[in-house]
Amino acid sequence: ELLDIEKKSKKLDLKKAKAEKDAKAETLQVHMQEGERLELPDPDEEEGEADMAMVQRRIQEVAQVLSKFRQLRDPARSRQDYLERLKADLGTYYGYNQYFLDLVLNMFSAPEAIELLEANETPRPMVLR
């Protein structure tokens, strides 16, 4: 049984998580309007870039494009171009190698793969035994 303070803490944590999720979704919607298309940068010109906020935003945008590919894609780019950009960004952001990212993206859709990688990044809860 949880104490009152623990119950309040759980409620606050749930509210905070919901607010963060809503803010992330709102930010993504601002960046990707319904008629707007995502333009992928060329791989050559982006070798030196390491701004993690930009990489994370691009990961979310590419995942959204892949989930609604027909409506949001750039006609000059193929699905493979988007997947390669996503793999490169996921490797940069999470530090996984290309082989593992290939496996994950072949097994899951892009949003599910990102959710899996996020779940792997969260630390396990501390418990007493």
Side-chain angles (χ1 to χ4, degrees):
E1 187 173 317
L2 297 176
L3 298 174
D4 287 337
I5 192 141
E6 292 174 320
K7 289 178 187 177
K8 289 179 184 178
S9 175
K10 281 196 180 226
K11 284 182 185 178
L12 286 174
D13 288 344
L14 290 174
K15 279 185 181 180
K16 184 179 177 184
K18 186 178 184 307
E20 286 176 2
K21 184 178 178 183
D22 291 344
K24 192 182 281 188
E26 184 178 316
T27 303
L28 189 57
Q29 286 178 353
V30 167
H31 291 293
M32 293 293 294
Q33 301 290 323
E34 196 54 44
E36 191 177 329
R37 303 217 187 271
L38 172 66
E39 292 188 23
L40 291 178
D42 290 332
D44 318 341
E45 67 188 41
E46 227 181 290
E47 290 299 317
E49 183 180 335
D51 180 21
M52 290 302 169
M54 179 71 165
V55 172
Q56 183 182 24
R57 194 185 87 214
R58 193 170 50 235
I59 288 170
Q60 296 301 323
E61 289 174 351
V62 170
Q64 185 177 11
V65 168
L66 287 172
S67 66
K68 296 180 181 179
F69 191 69
R70 287 183 188 231
Q71 294 89 16
L72 299 177
R73 80 182 195 111
D74 179 7
R77 303 283 184 156
S78 68
R79 179 178 285 276
Q80 192 63 32
D81 292 338
Y82 283 100
L83 283 172
E84 290 301 320
R85 180 78 255 165
L86 183 63
K87 285 179 204 173
D89 288 342
L90 288 172
T92 300
Y93 191 75
Y94 294 106
Y96 292 114
N97 62 21
Q98 289 295 112
Y99 177 74
F100 179 73
L101 293 172
D102 283 338
L103 285 176
V104 170
L105 288 170
N106 285 334
M107 285 194 294
F108 302 106
S109 67
E112 290 173 338
I114 293 169
E115 191 174 329
L116 173 74
L117 295 174
E118 273 298 320
N120 283 338
E121 293 297 310
T122 57
R124 293 179 45 187
M126 182 68 87
V127 296
L128 296 174
R129 287 187 156 211

